[in-house]
């Protein structure tokens, strides 16, 4: 899909395996986000960058049939899986849409959620401003991002990068450097108040091959795809998604 940006194409290709390889990671983080924003029955909600529905589904359950939830994502594969996740929830619409600048009228939503998405966007501060305009008076925004990661994960990525041709380099926007920089960015976008919460999520892997498979099931696929086939696992072992 040459019309997709590289990161969107990575997620589109990973959609089938995303959050679907037997590792609890995205859903616990989504549950913490939903708990923090506390969606109420009857509210209108936008889930920006809905992925496969980890945030979208529990939000839809919370707002109930009197509410309305719109999920958007630029990756067609993610949209398809999210629609399947929310089948039977009449209050949900999932469609292709840009989390950087959602195309909806001002004041459309009581709540906007965005789970592990903002740091992938070209201009996160501009997205915060766009979301504020979409919110009703007294509306609220809830988003999640990474804090400190297990150093063993970074070590695993470094080892994998040794086998890759020109491993990708990605520098997140400085607003994600600390809790304080997050607060400053949100306030600068025009929000009245900010609350930053931290939650610890642990994930278990059967073995190194399982970790390798999981890395290839999300944004880490960008690195996996750069490892030539001849440098990957032997046929007798679990292979990364292709």
């Amino acid at each position: 899909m040459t019309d997709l940006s590289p990161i969107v194409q990575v997620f589109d290709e990973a959609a089938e395996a995303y959050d679907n390889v037997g590792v609890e990671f995205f859903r616990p983080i989504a549950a913490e986000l939903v708990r923090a924003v506390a969606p109420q029955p009857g509210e209108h909600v936008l889930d920006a960058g809905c992925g496969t529905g980890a945030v979208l589904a529990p939000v839809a359950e919370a707002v109930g049939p009197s509410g309305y939830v719109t999920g958007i994502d630029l990756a067609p594969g993610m949209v398809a899986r999210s629609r399947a996740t929310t089948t039977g929830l009449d209050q949900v619409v999932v469609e292709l849409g840009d989390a950087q600048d959602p195309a909806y009228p001002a004041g459309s939503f009581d709540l906007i959620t965005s789970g592990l998405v903002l740091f992938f966007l070209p201009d996160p501060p501009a997205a915060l401003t766009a979301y504020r305009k979409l919110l009703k008076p007294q509306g609220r925004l809830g988003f999640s991002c990474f804090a400190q990661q297990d150093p063993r994960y970074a070590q695993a990525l470094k080892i994998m990068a040794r086998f890759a041709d020109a491993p990708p380099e990605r520098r997140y926007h400085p607003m994600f450097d600390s809790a304080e920089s997050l607060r400053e960015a949100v306030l600068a976008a025009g929000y009245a108040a900010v609350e930053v919460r931290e939650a610890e999520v642990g994930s278990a892997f059967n073995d190194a091959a399982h970790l390798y498979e999981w890395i290839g099931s999300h944004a880490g696929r960008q690195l996996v795809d750069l490892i030539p086939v001849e440098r990957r696992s032997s046929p007798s072992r679990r292979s990364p998604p292709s």
Side-chain angles (χ1 to χ4, degrees):
M1 296 189 176
T2 57
D3 57 330
L4 300 180
S5 70
I7 191 63
V8 173
Q9 185 165 346
V10 165
F11 278 108
D12 186 57
E13 293 172 352
E16 184 176 349
Y18 187 84
D19 207 14
N20 197 30
V21 295
V23 177
E24 284 297 316
F25 182 77
F26 295 105
R27 278 185 287 270
I29 294 175
E32 291 290 343
L33 175 57
V34 175
R35 187 177 299 113
V37 298
Q40 298 299 305
E43 287 192 317
H44 287 204
V45 184
L46 173 67
D47 187 26
C50 63
T52 58
V55 173
L56 182 66
V59 166
E61 295 282 1
V63 302
S66 63
Y68 193 80
V69 183
T70 301
I72 59 170
D73 203 290
L74 275 178
M78 292 291 188
V79 169
R81 276 203 60 200
S82 194
R83 285 174 177 166
T85 299
T86 55
T87 295
L89 296 174
D90 295 336
Q91 66 270 35
V92 178
V93 170
V94 185
E95 54 195 12
L96 286 173
D98 191 352
Q100 175 66 53
D101 190 15
Y104 300 98
S108 294
F109 303 100
D110 300 291
L111 169 66
I112 296 177
T113 56
S114 187
L116 301 179
V117 172
L118 278 176
F119 43 75
F120 287 119
L121 301 182
D123 190 344
L128 291 175
T129 300
Y131 298 164
R132 180 178 56 79
K133 294 177 181 177
L134 295 181
L135 287 169
K136 299 176 183 180
Q138 308 305 316
R140 60 205 190 281
L141 164 70
F143 66 89
S144 58
C145 58
F146 296 118
Q148 183 176 3
Q149 295 182 327
D150 190 320
R152 292 172 294 180
Y153 178 65
Q155 183 181 13
L157 292 181
K158 287 181 180 179
I159 293 172
M160 289 176 60
R162 297 174 189 168
F163 298 90
D165 291 334
E169 292 186 7
R170 186 173 185 86
R171 176 69 176 92
Y172 293 136
H173 192 280
M175 67 175 270
F176 299 103
D177 286 347
S178 67
E180 186 55 37
S181 59
L182 277 177
R183 288 190 185 93
E184 292 175 356
V186 175
L187 291 173
Y191 294 85
V194 183
E195 180 181 357
V196 178
R197 302 183 185 183
E198 292 188 8
E200 183 174 336
V201 174
S203 301
F205 304 92
N206 299 331
D207 49 31
H210 194 198
L211 171 62
Y212 186 43
E213 180 184 30
W214 179 74
I215 291 173
S217 72
H218 52 72
R221 184 188 179 103
Q222 195 171 27
L223 171 58
V224 170
D225 285 347
L226 291 173
I227 301 176
V229 175
E230 63 272 14
R231 299 178 192 166
R232 301 184 188 184
S233 302
S234 65
S236 61
R237 297 182 179 182
R238 190 187 304 222
S239 299
S242 59

